[in-house]
Amino acid sequence: MTEGHDVQELSDVDIHVYEAVASQTVGTGATGLDALARASDLAEEELRASLARLVEHGYVVPRGDDGYGLGPHTFEVEY
């Protein structure tokens, strides 16, 4: 993650979506929107808005046709 990012500044929804991305990308490195919708149990509009914020700040990165993956980070999410 780039300097200046503070995970504590994320909203509860953004943290929830980040955790969904993290849990869905274990072993594969990427996950699609459908899997994230199921994992997060959010409406598509809310999910897309959160993903856009997370991508904008580098927490999540688009992976082309594969969907989304985690960006560089300095913290861990345990599962």
Side-chain angles (χ1 to χ4, degrees):
M1 200 154 73
T2 60
E3 196 171 321
H5 284 173
D6 184 358
V7 71
Q8 295 178 0
E9 293 178 356
L10 294 175
S11 72
D12 289 344
V13 170
D14 292 342
I15 290 171
H16 180 65
V17 171
Y18 180 87
E19 289 174 343
V21 173
S23 70
Q24 296 297 304
T25 60
V26 173
T28 63
T31 187
L33 191 61
D34 289 342
L36 288 174
R38 286 189 302 275
S40 68
D41 198 31
L42 294 173
E44 184 177 342
E45 184 176 301
E46 188 173 22
L47 175 60
R48 286 183 183 276
S50 178
L51 284 168
R53 283 188 298 276
L54 291 168
V55 167
E56 178 182 339
H57 294 288
Y59 294 105
V60 170
V61 294
R63 297 276 189 217
D65 292 341
D66 293 331
Y68 298 90
L70 294 180
H73 53 281
T74 58
F75 53 90
E76 294 182 26
V77 179
E78 294 186 22
Y79 289 93

